[in-house]
Amino acid sequence: MKEHELNTIIGVVSDPVKNVYDITSRKNLEEIQRIIRIFKINEGQNFKHKIFALKNLTTFKLVMSNN
């Protein structure tokens, strides 16, 4: 899910004139913090999956080289 899709779903609208998010209300601030947490979790999961894929590939190559 892309950032603009999240903004549309949640209702957080960026200010196109100043190119910043409107954080005048507490609700908007909390929603932006929530979006940031989602992206950080997603980034961590991508890294974790890459590590698992590399580990599995090296294990597979090791098994194949022994046969």
Side-chain angles (χ1 to χ4, degrees):
M1 189 171 277
K2 300 200 185 294
E3 183 178 2
H4 66 84
E5 292 171 348
L6 278 174
N7 288 344
T8 303
I9 291 170
I10 297 171
V12 177
V13 180
S14 62
D15 185 5
V17 174
K18 295 181 181 178
N19 199 20
V20 295
Y21 288 101
D22 177 26
I23 57 171
T24 54
S25 70
R26 182 180 175 139
K27 178 187 172 200
N28 287 346
L29 179 63
E30 289 175 353
E31 290 298 329
I32 291 169
Q33 289 172 342
R34 182 173 167 261
I35 290 170
I36 292 170
R37 283 194 304 271
I38 290 170
F39 282 118
K40 285 183 180 179
I41 290 170
N42 188 26
E43 182 180 319
Q45 287 175 340
N46 285 339
F47 180 74
K48 193 176 185 181
H49 290 299
K50 287 177 186 177
I51 295 297
F52 285 143
L54 288 173
K55 180 181 171 187
N56 291 338
L57 180 63
T58 54
T59 304
F60 179 72
K61 286 185 176 184
L62 180 65
V63 168
M64 293 304 287
S65 68
N66 287 340
N67 291 334

